[in-house]
Amino acid sequence: MRLPRAPHRALLLCVAAATLAACSASGSGSADRSPGAPGAVRSGSASPSGAADSRRSVLTFAGVTPLGAEAARRTADRMRARAEALGLEDVHVEEREGGVTVMGRTADEKRLTGLGASGRLGFRPVLAEETSGATPVPSPSADPARGRAVTEGLRPRAAGSASASAGPAPAEGDAADAALRARFVALDCSARERPAAEPEAAARDSVVACGTDGGGSASRAKFALGPTAVEGTHVSSARAVHDEQGAGWLVRLAFDSVGARQFSALTATLCVNTSPQNQMAIVLDGAVISAPSVAQRLDGGTADIFGSFTRESAEQLAVTLGSGALPEPVSVTGVTRLPHA
């Protein structure tokens, strides 16, 4: 089974649109992308950054509140693993004063920043969508990955497709639905800078979020989303792969047995709905990186995320998702650039 990316800075599986292709077993133009297939690339195979420039940067990462000793240790361990998987040279990660510091080549500063991406991934049903027609919202992670996710059976939504703008209709007397509608109406995703994400919600909660509509215009959009149907913890692996048939770089996800069942059930539910309630939002760190339409039930346990990826950005996203989310969200609070060694 193959899928789309919904937002990144980032994520389900087609490149310029976000509609799920007809859910046929044969799929439509989907290539064999098994691990041994030509073009498959291990995320850790990034070529060393080998820049002659000897300048160094020290990045300080901190949470909203100081990290406890255990959270800091686990965060540092995960960031070291990500740096190693990316092939970054001479990177030093240390726990320090309730946070984490990372020192590496100044030439790699963008990728070093990406080591602190939270990496919280989830698949949610779309309840309502409104497109502004403005420039795409910046993705949440350190680099690209604002693509469309598609698999066999997922098709990118055509540019200009109708979207619901009225918001989710609250049930009579349902205060929770009325509150969700009010948050949806109030949310403004048209600004150049993405608004701060809502406080992290439990998987069982409905949320509003910004992202891109997945159409050819890559317009900014806002969404009202139902509870998480598949959590990123059920992604067993993520790899950067080069599609030899012309789609460029993509990120291939594989689900564990629980995730595969949940994903199949989600697509079975969505494919009988009308737009936009037939769309699946791929949510990364609070932003929708892709919202493809689902045409039929998808079985198979794998999904490909397409987008405007370079090799570097595909590997960065694959490593972020494959390593699992950080224990607590962190952000860069300071950057010190050291002189030449």
Side-chain angles (χ1 to χ4, degrees):
M1 173 186 69
R2 313 193 194 274
L3 299 175
R5 299 72 16 4
H8 182 301
R9 286 168 169 102
L11 51 33
L12 198 78
L13 302 174
C14 247
V15 174
T19 298
L20 301 180
C23 301
S24 62
S26 60
S28 145
S30 57
D32 175 11
R33 295 172 179 140
S34 59
V41 175
R42 294 174 53 193
S43 295
S45 64
S47 55
S49 32
D53 192 342
S54 62
R55 289 175 299 173
R56 311 279 287 169
S57 292
V58 179
L59 286 70
T60 301
F61 293 84
V64 176
T65 58
L67 300 181
E70 177 62 16
R73 182 190 64 78
R74 291 171 56 204
T75 298
D77 286 347
R78 192 143 294 175
M79 293 171 78
R80 289 188 194 100
R82 290 177 176 181
E84 181 178 355
L86 287 168
L88 294 174
E89 293 184 326
D90 199 15
V91 173
H92 300 280
V93 181
E94 296 182 3
E95 308 150 40
R96 184 173 300 177
E97 299 177 1
V100 175
T101 61
V102 175
M103 182 170 68
R105 300 172 187 267
T106 297
D108 292 327
E109 197 170 290
K110 188 175 185 180
R111 305 188 86 184
L112 297 175
T113 301
L115 299 179
S118 179
R120 296 182 185 278
L121 179 71
F123 299 81
R124 292 175 178 262
V126 173
L127 303 178
E129 175 190 1
E130 179 178 306
T131 303
S132 69
T135 308
V137 183
S139 32
S141 347
D143 204 337
R146 177 195 292 113
R148 294 163 295 166
V150 189
T151 357
E152 262 175 34
L154 293 188
R155 188 181 290 174
R157 195 160 60 76
S161 295
S163 60
S165 59
E172 185 80 27
D174 190 329
D177 283 351
L180 178 64
R181 180 189 181 109
R183 285 170 22 228
F184 177 78
V185 171
L187 181 64
D188 181 7
C189 296
S190 63
R192 181 173 298 276
E193 295 299 324
R194 184 170 61 88
E198 291 192 315
E200 189 165 348
R204 65 178 179 276
D205 295 337
S206 295
V207 299
V208 296
C210 294
T212 56
D213 67 354
S217 62
S219 300
R220 287 178 180 161
K222 64 179 177 179
F223 299 86
L225 308 173
T228 300
V230 187
E231 295 195 58
T233 52
H234 294 301
V235 171
S236 58
S237 68
R239 297 184 302 122
V241 176
H242 189 265
D243 184 1
E244 300 297 340
Q245 295 193 342
W249 286 94
L250 57 90
V251 176
R252 177 154 301 140
L253 304 179
F255 296 104
D256 62 19
S257 58
V258 173
R261 289 196 300 271
Q262 292 176 341
F263 186 78
S264 177
L266 173 61
T267 56
T269 299
L270 296 180
C271 70
V272 299
N273 295 338
T274 57
S275 181
Q277 285 83 20
N278 66 339
Q279 292 173 232
M280 174 198 320
I282 304 166
V283 185
L284 178 64
D285 293 346
V288 176
I289 57 176
S290 180
S293 301
V294 181
Q296 71 180 45
R297 181 177 190 139
L298 299 176
D299 299 307
T302 63
D304 291 341
I305 299 176
F306 293 77
S308 301
F309 290 111
T310 61
R311 172 176 176 168
E312 178 179 292
S313 64
E315 289 177 340
Q316 185 100 36
L317 181 60
V319 167
T320 298
L321 299 180
S323 65
L326 298 182
E328 295 182 27
V330 297
S331 60
V332 176
T333 57
V335 177
T336 302
R337 295 181 178 90
L338 305 178
H340 289 273

